[in-house]
Amino acid sequence: MSNHQLAFLLARITLGINLFLHGFVRIPKLEVFVNGLTQGFEGTMLPLVLVTIVAYAIPFIEVVLGIFILLGIYSKKALAAAAIFIMLLITGCAFKEDWSAIGTQMLYALFIFLLLKNLEYEVWTVKKSRNE
C-alpha cells in the first residue's frame, strides 16, 4: 500500500466514523435533538415545519453516509452525497447567521473535497461502482 493509499484510507475511515457517530448518538435522544435544533431556528426565515422535518432526517442521513464512507461503499456517490448534505447544513446555518458553525462545516466540505479529489488512491472498499 502506498503512502497516498494509506492516507486516503485513514482519512476516509476517520470521516466515516465521525459522520456515523454524529448520527448514532443522536438517534436514542431524537426528540431532544429535534427540539433543540428547531428552537435554534425560531425567528429565522425558515419555516419551522421544514426545519423539523430536516432535523428528524439528519441523524439517519449521518448514519447512512457514515457507514457508506467508512466501508467504502460507492465512495464517489457517498462523498458527493456528503458534500450535498454539508451544503444543506451550511444553508441552514446561514439563515440562522451561525457563522462559526459554517466555518466548521466548511472544514468538512474541504475534507470531503480532498477525498473526492484523491479517490484514485482508494483501497479496501466493500463496493465500488463501475465508473469510480
Side-chain angles (χ1 to χ4, degrees):
M1 180 181 307
S2 74
N3 290 343
H4 290 292
Q5 290 171 321
L6 179 59
F8 184 92
L9 177 65
L10 294 175
R12 190 192 80 211
I13 289 171
T14 301
L15 180 63
I17 289 170
N18 184 300
L19 284 171
F20 173 77
L21 289 176
H22 257 93
F24 185 75
V25 300
R26 289 175 171 161
I27 291 172
K29 52 184 179 182
L30 188 58
E31 291 298 323
V32 173
F33 171 73
V34 170
N35 290 335
L37 194 66
T38 304
Q39 285 176 358
F41 281 89
E42 288 178 356
T44 68
M45 295 171 57
L46 291 175
L48 289 181
V49 172
L50 178 63
V51 172
T52 303
I53 292 167
V54 172
Y56 273 109
I58 285 173
F60 298 99
I61 292 168
E62 290 170 331
V63 165
V64 170
L65 288 174
I67 289 170
F68 273 58
I69 292 169
L70 175 66
L71 299 177
I73 301 171
Y74 301 119
S75 291
K76 186 175 185 178
K77 292 175 183 174
L79 289 166
I84 293 166
F85 177 63
I86 294 299
M87 288 181 226
L88 173 78
L89 297 179
I90 288 171
T91 301
C93 285
F95 275 102
K96 198 171 148 183
E97 299 181 65
D98 189 350
W99 310 120
S100 62
I102 290 174
T104 300
Q105 292 159 346
M106 288 300 293
L107 290 174
Y108 278 96
L110 179 60
F111 202 91
I112 293 165
F113 165 78
L114 290 172
L115 284 171
L116 277 168
K117 183 180 180 318
N118 292 291
L119 201 55
E120 66 198 68
Y121 299 113
E122 182 167 61
V123 291
W124 293 2
T125 65
V126 171
K127 180 77 173 157
K128 276 189 167 186
S129 49
R130 277 183 240 155
N131 54 356
E132 280 190 355

